[in-house]
Amino acid sequence: MALSTSFTAISALTRYRRRHPFNPFSTTSFISSSFNHISRKIQLLRTAASHCHTQSSPKMSSVTAENTKITAPYGSWKSPITSDLVSGSDKRLGGTAVDALGHLFWVETRPNESGRLVLVKQGEKEGDDPIDVTPKEFSVRTVAQEYGGGAFRIFGDTVIFSNYKDQRLYRQSLSSKDSAPLPFTPDYGRPLVSYADGVFDARFSRFVTVQEDCRESAMNSITTIVSFDIRDESVQEPKVLVSGSDFYAFPRLDPKGERIAWIQWSHPNMPWDRSELWVGYISDSGDVHARVCVAGGDPTLVESPTEPKWSPQGELFFITDRKSGFWNLYKWIETSNEVLPVYTLDAEFARPLWIFGMNSYDFIFDKDQKNLIACSYRKNGKSYLGILDAVQNTSSSVEIPFTDINNITSGLDCLYIEVASAVHPLSIAKLTLDDHKSKAVDFKIMWCSSSISSIDKSYFSMPEVIEFPTDVTGLNAFAYFYPPTNPIYQGYPEEKPPLLLKSHGGPTAETHAVLNLSVQYWTSRGWAFVDVNYGGSAGYGRGYRDRLLGQWGIVDVNDCCSCAKFLVDSGKVDGERLCITGGSAGGYTTLAALAFKDTFKAGASLYGVADLKLLRLETHKFESHYIDNLVGSERAYFERSPINFVEKFSCPIILFQGLEDKVVPPEQARKIYHALKEKGLPVALVEYEGEQHGFRKAENIKFTLEQQMVFFARLVGNFNVADEITPIKIDNFD
């Protein structure tokens, strides 16, 4: 059955090529006869719109009615959301901080600088441009646990940061404009020792941080909590404070420097499966001389505490998912060693600990000395901002125009929040509260990840929250559906749009309904797009997250296929033009869906997993037992690895891979590529020098996006794209 299906697919492609001759150097042949007419029509619409909106960018939608739209095949529409715009403005945040004077700092990625991460300071006066703090030869990034995070810390007029190239810690003055960063950790010849999530210890004038040491073994690194004396500028070896566990995170000191809290966990657990919260007492010599397990030590109680933080009054707060299965805020009563809930809700007040330095809540300065806590939580796919009174155990909701909230940093009489929504990309917002700290009285955007001012919002596709039945009776899953949206174009009445389904990475992660220009790139050209939160995703509690335990390659694949079928049955998309894409774990789901199901007609895998057993042998320490929890037996490792069932593939695949990827080594993509090429299926492999797990360089982000688009258009779309894209050679097709 599988073999005959593959011949049928290849024969269909051959017939398609005969009916639709293709110019390999251009993808605009379909509009050669009508391009001038369309261009004139668009220009007239723009001109008319400009007269209606003389004080803002042209709003084409203001004069565009349904009967004046250009009718063209779905997928072939022209759009101002270009690949250059997507790749060049795809900035990410690496954390926010406020200095003692209330100045805001943040770390942002620079795709146009090969993905360099830069510490930036807000302008001195309102309206001033932000100021780069990090010199051009440095990049603020740690590779601890491969995914990094928590790469800098500000105290006084000094910043300490991890430099990507050598992974050493550097100290830099913030008060001097031309201050050069100076290293204070040893040079081991290669970047074999990494640091993350550090804090300043004022009592001993030292820097306390998580250290990952790969000198003996990159596959079995040693993680500890260490300190460095920073009273002078000498390079020094660290002093080990806490050791013995496989992993550590969130070392946090109380206001007096007398106690330190931290999170630890060991194989085979991931931090969201089981972890422990400890408190250690610090002696006069600076050693941790006594320890208490606050949460996670009871073997009969399954929980994963995270994000410990000391209040200004010296009380320890943290988040855990004990009993209810939802990450809620708790407080430690030191005198009785009790843990009490601060506020309980069937919502997630934290995220899985994939990266260091998360900050889901923070204490608010209050003149009445109340324990007020600003926190974010997610419920049913939406974020909320709340103010908790830790004394009264009450909560009030703060209304803000955003549906997605991440890290929170307290400023002087304000909050800085990482926010986004369906019409606004990732941003840093400054929120000023009233005297009672219950309402927002002022709201200002301080930084934005993407430049969208030139794009009419009528090009943005609004996500529809869909809940669809899975193949398990009584269990539903969730996704965000984006219909094709363009104010200038409409599809043919008898045609339904092609669908691109995205399977997110992780797989213990969550996709959010926020403005993502890479999604809008597809929808504004006439594609339908769906982003799936399959069983195992975060954001819906432990019960939903645990659906994937022992079931990776089954639950995620079935949920993605069920979602596509749901959209076909709902009449929203074309069942003959279903495509799937995903990166990392999403790449594995993509390959598994194409190997073991016949739902999709083509796929794109970005640094995806083809061989589960090889991944287990080659991946880094952090995830080395993660796969055992998700897969289970040796038989399952074999039966769920797409590379072992090449004969079951029956449709085209394009693969993208970074050559410095340590999470999913390049051999994974090469194995699937050579196997499919030998089988005779249309396949292409793109490899990027200098890229790791995830693409950070603008030119590579652009190329990946464009080549996915033209690959799908050529092989399953039955249309040509409007953009000038030179397609790469496809084996067994060109």
Side-chain angles (χ1 to χ4, degrees), residues 499-519:
L499 172 72
L500 181 60
L501 181 146
K502 182 181 177 183
S503 171
H504 68 69
T508 309
E510 179 187 3
T511 188
H512 295 185
V514 301
L515 181 60
N516 183 337
L517 291 185
S518 65
V519 173

Side-chain angles (χ1 to χ4, degrees), residues 167-169 184-188 193-195 206-213 215 222-230 234-243 286-287:
Q167 287 298 290
R168 299 174 72 186
L169 288 177
F184 61 87
T185 59
D187 181 358
Y188 297 110
V193 180
S194 302
Y195 311 91
R206 61 184 179 177
F207 190 67
V208 178
T209 182
V210 175
Q211 175 183 274
E212 183 183 41
D213 189 342
R215 283 177 291 176
I222 299 172
T223 304
T224 51
I225 297 176
V226 302
S227 67
F228 293 92
D229 190 327
I230 55 174
S234 63
V235 173
Q236 58 192 278
E237 291 288 341
K239 175 180 180 177
V240 176
L241 299 179
V242 182
S243 63
D287 296 313

Side-chain angles (χ1 to χ4, degrees), residues 197-346:
D197 214 9
V199 292
F200 179 61
D201 182 356
R203 180 183 173 194
F204 294 97
S205 295
R206 61 184 179 177
F207 190 67
V208 178
T209 182
V210 175
Q211 175 183 274
E212 183 183 41
D213 189 342
C214 298
R215 283 177 291 176
E216 291 187 9
S217 170
M219 303 294 291
N220 192 26
S221 57
I222 299 172
T223 304
T224 51
I225 297 176
V226 302
S227 67
F228 293 92
D229 190 327
I230 55 174
R231 282 174 291 193
D232 56 48
E233 298 180 354
S234 63
V235 173
Q236 58 192 278
E237 291 288 341
K239 175 180 180 177
V240 176
L241 299 179
V242 182
S243 63
S245 188
D246 285 329
F247 304 99
Y248 294 95
F250 295 110
R252 298 294 183 261
L253 290 152
D254 73 8
K256 296 181 179 179
E258 296 174 347
R259 297 165 295 176
I260 180 173
W262 69 86
I263 297 294
Q264 68 181 47
W265 68 99
S266 291
H267 289 319
N269 295 311
M270 297 300 285
W272 49 83
D273 296 326
R274 278 181 178 268
S275 59
E276 297 172 354
L277 168 60
W278 286 78
V279 169
Y281 294 86
I282 302 174
S283 68
D284 291 339
S285 61
D287 296 313
V288 178
H289 68 93
R291 304 180 185 186
V292 176
C293 184
V294 173
D298 184 349
T300 66
L301 186 63
V302 178
E303 64 176 324
S304 51
T306 185
E307 294 196 52
K309 187 173 295 186
W310 300 92
S311 74
Q313 291 77 31
E315 293 182 300
L316 180 64
F317 290 78
F318 64 99
I319 296 172
T320 191
D321 58 348
R322 58 171 56 191
K323 297 181 180 179
S324 72
F326 288 93
W327 275 313
N328 283 189
L329 196 63
Y330 286 76
K331 180 172 68 172
W332 178 49
I333 308 301
E334 183 178 12
T335 54
S336 58
N337 194 24
E338 287 183 274
V339 168
L340 299 179
V342 174
Y343 190 78
T344 57
L345 191 68
D346 285 351

Side-chain angles (χ1 to χ4, degrees), residues 290-471:
R291 304 180 185 186
V292 176
C293 184
V294 173
D298 184 349
T300 66
L301 186 63
V302 178
E303 64 176 324
S304 51
T306 185
E307 294 196 52
K309 187 173 295 186
W310 300 92
S311 74
Q313 291 77 31
E315 293 182 300
L316 180 64
F317 290 78
F318 64 99
I319 296 172
T320 191
D321 58 348
R322 58 171 56 191
K323 297 181 180 179
S324 72
F326 288 93
W327 275 313
N328 283 189
L329 196 63
Y330 286 76
K331 180 172 68 172
W332 178 49
I333 308 301
E334 183 178 12
T335 54
S336 58
N337 194 24
E338 287 183 274
V339 168
L340 299 179
V342 174
Y343 190 78
T344 57
L345 191 68
D346 285 351
E348 298 281 53
F349 283 71
R351 309 185 299 281
L353 204 165
W354 279 105
I355 62 172
F356 291 102
M358 294 185 298
N359 206 35
S360 302
Y361 69 99
D362 207 352
F363 298 100
I364 300 175
F365 172 77
D366 182 70
K367 60 184 179 181
D368 297 325
Q369 297 295 306
K370 295 179 182 177
N371 256 351
L372 296 180
I373 302 171
C375 60
S376 65
Y377 59 92
R378 285 187 67 76
K379 186 177 178 65
N380 297 328
K382 182 181 177 181
S383 293
Y384 299 87
L385 177 65
I387 305 296
L388 299 182
D389 187 324
V391 176
Q392 302 296 325
N393 286 16
T394 58
S395 171
S396 61
S397 180
V398 180
E399 295 297 325
I400 59 174
F402 294 93
T403 56
D404 198 81
I405 305 168
N406 283 316
N407 297 318
I408 298 174
T409 300
S410 282
L412 301 180
D413 298 320
C414 67
L415 299 172
Y416 293 103
I417 313 171
E418 296 178 22
V419 296
S421 75
V423 295
H424 205 286
L426 174 65
S427 303
I428 302 174
K430 179 182 180 180
L431 181 68
T432 304
L433 300 172
D434 64 3
D435 290 340
H436 299 290
K437 304 296 186 288
S438 61
K439 295 180 181 178
V441 295
D442 190 31
F443 199 86
K444 184 183 301 181
I445 298 297
M446 307 296 292
W447 174 89
C448 186
S449 61
S450 299
S451 176
I452 61 170
S453 59
S454 62
I455 305 174
D456 191 315
K457 289 185 178 180
S458 60
Y459 281 93
F460 295 158
S461 177
M462 294 295 101
E464 302 172 11
V465 179
I466 62 171
E467 182 175 350
F468 58 91
T470 69
D471 65 335

Side-chain angles (χ1 to χ4, degrees), residues 15 33 66 69 78-79 82 99 181 261 407 449 494 511 554 635 679 684 695 702 732:
R15 292 195 299 272
S33 60
E66 196 69 24
K69 287 187 175 183
K78 291 184 69 66
S79 169
T82 64
D99 67 9
N407 297 318
S449 61
E494 68 279 6
T511 188
I554 297 177
R635 181 177 179 181
K679 184 183 178 184
F695 306 146
K702 168 185 168 71
N732 301 321

Side-chain angles (χ1 to χ4, degrees), residues 591 603-605 651-657 669-670 672-674 676-677 681-687 703 707-708 711 714-715 727-734:
L591 293 173
S605 170
C651 66
I653 300 174
I654 186 168
L655 305 117
F656 300 88
Q657 180 67 45
R670 290 169 181 166
I672 203 77
Y673 165 71
H674 289 299
L676 296 180
K677 181 180 178 181
L681 279 177
V683 63
L685 171 63
V686 178
E687 296 182 320
F703 193 80
Q707 293 305 320
Q708 284 187 82
F711 183 87
R714 295 180 69 189
L715 295 172
I728 60 171
K729 180 181 181 296
I730 302 173
D731 292 293
N732 301 321
F733 183 72
D734 289 320

